[in-house]
PDB file of all heavy atoms in Angstrom:
ATOM      1  N   PRO A  89      47.201-212.821  20.215  1.00 87.00           N
ATOM      2  CA  PRO A  89      47.618-213.073  18.791  1.00 87.00           C
ATOM      3  C   PRO A  89      49.053-213.648  18.733  1.00 87.00           C
ATOM      4  O   PRO A  89      49.879-213.503  19.637  1.00 87.00           O
ATOM      5  CB  PRO A  89      47.684-211.676  18.155  1.00 87.00           C
ATOM      6  CG  PRO A  89      47.855-210.735  19.384  1.00 87.00           C
ATOM      7  CD  PRO A  89      47.215-211.335  20.543  1.00 87.00           C
ATOM      8  N   GLY A  90      49.168-214.534  17.749  1.00 86.00           N
ATOM      9  CA  GLY A  90      50.537-215.117  17.454  1.00 86.00           C
ATOM     10  C   GLY A  90      50.570-216.450  18.243  1.00 86.00           C
ATOM     11  O   GLY A  90      51.646-217.198  18.252  1.00 86.00           O
ATOM     12  N   LEU A  91      49.551-216.877  18.950  1.00 87.00           N
ATOM     13  CA  LEU A  91      49.516-218.076  19.783  1.00 87.00           C
ATOM     14  C   LEU A  91      48.657-219.025  19.087  1.00 87.00           C
ATOM     15  O   LEU A  91      47.458-218.843  18.994  1.00 87.00           O
ATOM     16  CB  LEU A  91      49.041-217.655  21.142  1.00 87.00           C
ATOM     17  CG  LEU A  91      49.802-218.105  22.278  1.00 87.00           C
ATOM     18  CD1 LEU A  91      49.414-217.446  23.579  1.00 87.00           C
ATOM     19  CD2 LEU A  91      49.595-219.605  22.405  1.00 87.00           C
ATOM     20  N   SER A  92      49.187-220.146  18.525  1.00 86.00           N
ATOM     21  CA  SER A  92      48.359-221.013  17.763  1.00 86.00           C
ATOM     22  C   SER A  92      47.710-222.252  18.504  1.00 86.00           C
ATOM     23  O   SER A  92      46.632-222.556  18.235  1.00 86.00           O
ATOM     24  CB  SER A  92      49.118-221.442  16.476  1.00 86.00           C
ATOM     25  OG  SER A  92      50.246-222.145  16.884  1.00 86.00           O
ATOM     26  N   VAL A  93      48.378-222.800  19.439  1.00 83.00           N
ATOM     27  CA  VAL A  93      47.955-223.990  20.111  1.00 83.00           C
ATOM     28  C   VAL A  93      48.221-223.820  21.574  1.00 83.00           C
ATOM     29  O   VAL A  93      49.179-223.349  22.014  1.00 83.00           O
ATOM     30  CB  VAL A  93      48.753-225.205  19.590  1.00 83.00           C
ATOM     31  CG1 VAL A  93      48.299-226.394  20.299  1.00 83.00           C
ATOM     32  CG2 VAL A  93      48.438-225.442  18.055  1.00 83.00           C
ATOM     33  N   THR A  94      47.238-224.378  22.314  1.00 88.00           N
ATOM     34  CA  THR A  94      47.480-224.477  23.788  1.00 88.00           C
ATOM     35  C   THR A  94      47.238-225.834  24.202  1.00 88.00           C
ATOM     36  O   THR A  94      46.096-226.386  24.078  1.00 88.00           O
ATOM     37  CB  THR A  94      46.471-223.470  24.600  1.00 88.00           C
ATOM     38  OG1 THR A  94      46.570-222.209  23.977  1.00 88.00           O
ATOM     39  CG2 THR A  94      46.789-223.424  26.079  1.00 88.00           C
ATOM     40  N   ALA A  95      48.156-226.583  24.792  1.00 92.00           N
ATOM     41  CA  ALA A  95      48.022-227.893  25.236  1.00 92.00           C
ATOM     42  C   ALA A  95      48.371-228.032  26.724  1.00 92.00           C
ATOM     43  O   ALA A  95      49.333-227.307  27.128  1.00 92.00           O
ATOM     44  CB  ALA A  95      48.915-228.895  24.363  1.00 92.00           C
ATOM     45  N   GLN A  96      47.516-228.826  27.462  1.00 93.00           N
ATOM     46  CA  GLN A  96      47.807-228.817  28.896  1.00 93.00           C
ATOM     47  C   GLN A  96      47.940-230.257  29.434  1.00 93.00           C
ATOM     48  O   GLN A  96      47.365-231.224  28.868  1.00 93.00           O
ATOM     49  CB  GLN A  96      46.601-228.143  29.622  1.00 93.00           C
ATOM     50  CG  GLN A  96      46.658-226.673  29.397  1.00 93.00           C
ATOM     51  CD  GLN A  96      45.539-225.970  30.098  1.00 93.00           C
ATOM     52  OE1 GLN A  96      44.320-226.359  29.826  1.00 93.00           O
ATOM     53  NE2 GLN A  96      45.798-225.030  30.894  1.00 93.00           N
ATOM     54  N   VAL A  97      48.708-230.365  30.429  1.00 92.00           N
ATOM     55  CA  VAL A  97      48.858-231.740  31.117  1.00 92.00           C
ATOM     56  C   VAL A  97      48.758-231.446  32.637  1.00 92.00           C
ATOM     57  O   VAL A  97      49.204-230.498  33.069  1.00 92.00           O
ATOM     58  CB  VAL A  97      50.138-232.502  30.770  1.00 92.00           C
ATOM     59  CG1 VAL A  97      51.366-231.645  31.155  1.00 92.00           C
ATOM     60  CG2 VAL A  97      50.254-233.838  31.416  1.00 92.00           C
ATOM     61  N   MET A  98      48.136-232.445  33.299  1.00 90.00           N
ATOM     62  CA  MET A  98      48.004-232.255  34.674  1.00 90.00           C
ATOM     63  C   MET A  98      48.084-233.629  35.387  1.00 90.00           C
ATOM     64  O   MET A  98      47.474-234.555  34.907  1.00 90.00           O
ATOM     65  CB  MET A  98      46.569-231.684  35.055  1.00 90.00           C
ATOM     66  CG  MET A  98      46.328-231.226  36.433  1.00 90.00           C
ATOM     67  SD  MET A  98      45.648-232.568  37.518  1.00 90.00           S
ATOM     68  CE  MET A  98      44.157-232.883  36.633  1.00 90.00           C
ATOM     69  N   THR A  99      48.832-233.743  36.460  1.00 85.00           N
ATOM     70  CA  THR A  99      48.863-234.864  37.288  1.00 85.00           C
ATOM     71  C   THR A  99      48.369-234.405  38.652  1.00 85.00           C
ATOM     72  O   THR A  99      48.948-233.579  39.334  1.00 85.00           O
ATOM     73  CB  THR A  99      50.252-235.447  37.403  1.00 85.00           C
ATOM     74  OG1 THR A  99      50.830-235.702  36.102  1.00 85.00           O
ATOM     75  CG2 THR A  99      50.360-236.763  38.189  1.00 85.00           C
ATOM     76  N   PRO A 100      47.232-235.113  39.084  1.00 81.00           N
ATOM     77  CA  PRO A 100      46.644-234.699  40.390  1.00 81.00           C
ATOM     78  C   PRO A 100      47.701-234.866  41.575  1.00 81.00           C
ATOM     79  O   PRO A 100      48.604-235.774  41.478  1.00 81.00           O
ATOM     80  CB  PRO A 100      45.539-235.664  40.680  1.00 81.00           C
ATOM     81  CG  PRO A 100      45.156-236.143  39.249  1.00 81.00           C
ATOM     82  CD  PRO A 100      46.484-236.177  38.456  1.00 81.00           C
ATOM     83  N   TYR A 101      47.791-233.962  42.431  1.00 68.00           N
ATOM     84  CA  TYR A 101      48.686-233.922  43.494  1.00 68.00           C
ATOM     85  C   TYR A 101      48.717-235.206  44.266  1.00 68.00           C
ATOM     86  O   TYR A 101      47.729-235.794  44.574  1.00 68.00           O
ATOM     87  CB  TYR A 101      48.444-232.877  44.405  1.00 68.00           C
ATOM     88  CG  TYR A 101      49.377-232.646  45.588  1.00 68.00           C
ATOM     89  CD1 TYR A 101      50.614-232.315  45.374  1.00 68.00           C
ATOM     90  CD2 TYR A 101      48.931-233.088  46.888  1.00 68.00           C
ATOM     91  CE1 TYR A 101      51.518-232.223  46.377  1.00 68.00           C
ATOM     92  CE2 TYR A 101      49.829-233.059  47.894  1.00 68.00           C
ATOM     93  CZ  TYR A 101      51.111-232.723  47.690  1.00 68.00           C
ATOM     94  OH  TYR A 101      51.929-232.631  48.820  1.00 68.00           O
ATOM     95  N   GLY A 102      49.913-235.648  44.551  1.00 62.00           N
ATOM     96  CA  GLY A 102      50.016-236.681  45.584  1.00 62.00           C
ATOM     97  C   GLY A 102      50.169-238.080  45.225  1.00 62.00           C
ATOM     98  O   GLY A 102      51.132-238.757  45.369  1.00 62.00           O
ATOM     99  N   ASN A 103      49.081-238.655  44.733  1.00 63.00           N
ATOM    100  CA  ASN A 103      48.975-240.031  44.761  1.00 63.00           C
ATOM    101  C   ASN A 103      49.201-240.711  43.344  1.00 63.00           C
ATOM    102  O   ASN A 103      49.169-240.149  42.290  1.00 63.00           O
ATOM    103  CB  ASN A 103      47.734-240.503  45.355  1.00 63.00           C
ATOM    104  CG  ASN A 103      47.918-241.699  46.265  1.00 63.00           C
ATOM    105  OD1 ASN A 103      48.601-242.671  45.910  1.00 63.00           O
ATOM    106  ND2 ASN A 103      47.351-241.702  47.408  1.00 63.00           N
ATOM    107  N   HIS A 104      49.335-242.150  43.525  1.00 76.00           N
ATOM    108  CA  HIS A 104      49.412-242.936  42.292  1.00 76.00           C
ATOM    109  C   HIS A 104      47.966-243.291  41.847  1.00 76.00           C
ATOM    110  O   HIS A 104      47.086-243.153  42.725  1.00 76.00           O
ATOM    111  CB  HIS A 104      50.154-244.216  42.565  1.00 76.00           C
ATOM    112  CG  HIS A 104      51.515-243.925  43.212  1.00 76.00           C
ATOM    113  ND1 HIS A 104      52.043-244.653  44.223  1.00 76.00           N
ATOM    114  CD2 HIS A 104      52.312-242.923  42.997  1.00 76.00           C
ATOM    115  CE1 HIS A 104      53.180-244.111  44.527  1.00 76.00           C
ATOM    116  NE2 HIS A 104      53.441-243.063  43.808  1.00 76.00           N
ATOM    117  N   ILE A 105      47.833-243.436  40.568  1.00 84.00           N
ATOM    118  CA  ILE A 105      46.517-243.792  40.095  1.00 84.00           C
ATOM    119  C   ILE A 105      46.295-245.301  40.179  1.00 84.00           C
ATOM    120  O   ILE A 105      47.265-246.118  40.028  1.00 84.00           O
ATOM    121  CB  ILE A 105      46.270-243.339  38.712  1.00 84.00           C
ATOM    122  CG1 ILE A 105      44.866-243.135  38.343  1.00 84.00           C
ATOM    123  CG2 ILE A 105      46.927-244.129  37.691  1.00 84.00           C
ATOM    124  CD1 ILE A 105      44.514-242.438  37.172  1.00 84.00           C
ATOM    125  N   LEU A 106      45.052-245.677  40.420  1.00 84.00           N
ATOM    126  CA  LEU A 106      44.723-247.162  40.571  1.00 84.00           C
ATOM    127  C   LEU A 106      43.932-247.627  39.408  1.00 84.00           C
ATOM    128  O   LEU A 106      42.870-247.016  39.152  1.00 84.00           O
ATOM    129  CB  LEU A 106      43.916-247.328  41.914  1.00 84.00           C
ATOM    130  CG  LEU A 106      44.041-248.733  42.477  1.00 84.00           C
ATOM    131  CD1 LEU A 106      45.399-249.119  42.800  1.00 84.00           C
ATOM    132  CD2 LEU A 106      43.247-248.624  43.780  1.00 84.00           C
ATOM    133  N   LEU A 107      44.371-248.537  38.679  1.00 88.00           N
ATOM    134  CA  LEU A 107      43.708-249.123  37.496  1.00 88.00           C
ATOM    135  C   LEU A 107      43.223-250.528  37.920  1.00 88.00           C
ATOM    136  O   LEU A 107      43.878-251.282  38.643  1.00 88.00           O
ATOM    137  CB  LEU A 107      44.664-249.306  36.296  1.00 88.00           C
ATOM    138  CG  LEU A 107      45.179-248.021  35.743  1.00 88.00           C
ATOM    139  CD1 LEU A 107      46.472-248.352  34.873  1.00 88.00           C
ATOM    140  CD2 LEU A 107      44.095-247.393  34.751  1.00 88.00           C
ATOM    141  N   ARG A 108      42.027-250.816  37.430  1.00 88.00           N
ATOM    142  CA  ARG A 108      41.471-252.112  37.731  1.00 88.00           C
ATOM    143  C   ARG A 108      41.166-252.892  36.417  1.00 88.00           C
ATOM    144  O   ARG A 108      40.524-252.268  35.453  1.00 88.00           O
ATOM    145  CB  ARG A 108      40.154-251.993  38.590  1.00 88.00           C
ATOM    146  CG  ARG A 108      39.652-253.333  38.952  1.00 88.00           C
ATOM    147  CD  ARG A 108      38.503-253.227  40.071  1.00 88.00           C
ATOM    148  NE  ARG A 108      37.375-252.488  39.474  1.00 88.00           N
ATOM    149  CZ  ARG A 108      36.515-253.130  38.812  1.00 88.00           C
ATOM    150  NH1 ARG A 108      36.560-254.415  38.430  1.00 88.00           N
ATOM    151  NH2 ARG A 108      35.384-252.473  38.351  1.00 88.00           N
TER     152      ARG A 108
END
Side-chain angles (χ1 to χ4, degrees):
Chain A
L91 228 166
S92 59
V93 174
T94 308
Q96 289 178 307
V97 58
M98 188 271 299
T99 301
Y101 176 73
N103 220 316
H104 307 140
I105 199 169
L106 203 60
L107 292 159
R108 183 168 68 78

